[in-house]
Amino acid sequence: STVRQATERRRAEIARIVAAMPQGQRAGLIRALRAFSEAGGEPPAHRKAGADVGW
């Protein structure tokens, strides 16, 4: 679906940015992103090999 594709592209771009952050700063952001997604009722992310930054 179009929504699923847009969600996957958005998450891939966010994952790219998060991966560029210093590791010590990622944990808080990842927790916030998960809480935001859950509060919005967004379906869980599909994990892709090599692209997982924990969110």
Side-chain angles (χ1 to χ4, degrees):
S1 81
T2 301
V3 172
R4 182 184 53 77
Q5 291 172 346
T7 299
E8 287 178 8
R9 282 194 305 271
R10 178 179 51 82
R11 285 184 172 181
E13 183 62 12
I14 292 169
R16 183 189 67 77
I17 294 166
V18 171
M21 293 175 65
Q23 182 137 4
Q25 295 178 350
R26 291 182 195 168
L29 176 60
I30 290 168
R31 280 192 303 274
L33 289 170
R34 283 184 181 150
F36 184 84
S37 294
E38 290 171 10
E42 194 169 286
H46 299 288
R47 294 183 184 255
K48 295 180 182 174
D52 183 24
V53 293
W55 171 62

